[in-house]
Amino acid sequence: MSRLQDVAAQVAERHLAVVMPNRWRHVQAVARKAAGLGALAARDADLLVAAAWLHDIGYAPTITDTGFHALDGARWLRASGYNLRLAALVAYHSCAQYEADERGLGGALEAEFPCELSPTADALWYADMTTGPDGQDLTVKDRLAEIRNRYGPDDLVTRFWERAEPALIDSIRRTEERIANQPM
């Protein structure tokens, strides 16, 4: 087993499958979707799928530190010897910078991990934000509505999505354009 995505799948399963079965279903579906988008990431296809497997690893009870899953997961990946680029993709997935700012952790995120703006990052956001909490396919609008409904109008998560939505929609649009331009 040499592919990064295979290692990532095992790590995610070990940390999420038993203790967080709903999160595990979501992660599996995001990874499947990312695998289907591999052509958009070209030589980064393995990295994209690995990031999809690991994007929510920071929710694992044994990994949680600050309570902000993107930063906790990225820090754990870095400390566990994974490459910085993978950790950074996890750190910034799906508009995490906005949530970091809302939590007062934006400076720490920026100081510790570089933000990547690329087709690979966009494809990760697309895979995550078009997949529901139980692994179902959703439009990005339906996914945002589901999140807002789950957390309620006054929650920090709902507040950060109010600011982050335009950036997310732009990322999804870019990915959809790349999908449409792929040869059949």
Side-chain angles (χ1 to χ4, degrees):
M1 174 184 312
S2 60
R3 293 188 319 168
L4 181 59
Q5 66 183 281
D6 295 330
V7 173
Q10 288 183 346
V11 168
E13 182 175 19
R14 184 170 58 247
H15 286 278
L16 297 172
V18 173
V19 295
M20 302 185 87
N22 287 0
R23 180 70 52 191
W24 175 236
R25 280 192 296 279
H26 168 76
V27 165
Q28 290 176 88
V30 170
R32 278 192 302 274
K33 192 173 284 187
L37 298 171
L40 301 181
R43 71 184 195 289
D44 290 336
D46 189 45
L47 178 67
L48 168 62
V49 178
W53 279 114
L54 296 168
H55 79 282
D56 279 350
I57 198 76
Y59 282 117
T62 56
I63 293 171
T64 298
D65 179 38
T66 67
F68 175 40
H69 79 283
L71 183 59
D72 291 345
R75 285 175 168 170
W76 182 85
L77 289 167
R78 184 183 58 205
S80 297
Y82 289 88
N83 74 59
L84 181 61
R85 187 164 177 222
L86 173 61
L89 284 167
V90 169
Y92 284 94
H93 79 276
S94 302
C95 294
Q97 178 65 51
Y98 292 87
E99 185 173 356
D101 291 343
E102 193 72 29
R103 292 178 180 275
L105 295 168
L109 184 68
E110 290 174 16
E112 293 181 44
F113 299 98
C115 182
E116 176 175 327
L117 303 175
S118 70
T120 303
D122 282 348
L124 177 61
W125 292 23
Y126 177 91
D128 183 27
M129 294 304 297
T130 61
T131 304
D134 293 317
Q136 67 274 43
D137 283 331
L138 296 174
T139 67
V140 68
K141 292 287 189 181
D142 288 342
R143 177 76 162 119
L144 288 170
E146 177 277 319
I147 290 168
R148 289 175 174 127
N149 185 54
R150 185 165 24 117
Y151 285 94
D154 299 323
D155 192 87
L156 173 146
V157 173
T158 302
R159 286 194 314 266
F160 101 74
W161 277 118
E162 291 300 320
R163 292 185 10 254
E165 186 172 350
L168 175 67
I169 298 299
D170 285 346
S171 174
I172 300 298
R173 180 191 46 76
R174 287 189 301 269
T175 300
E176 289 172 341
E177 288 172 0
R178 290 180 187 114
I179 291 168
N181 291 327
Q182 283 295 303
M184 295 302 222

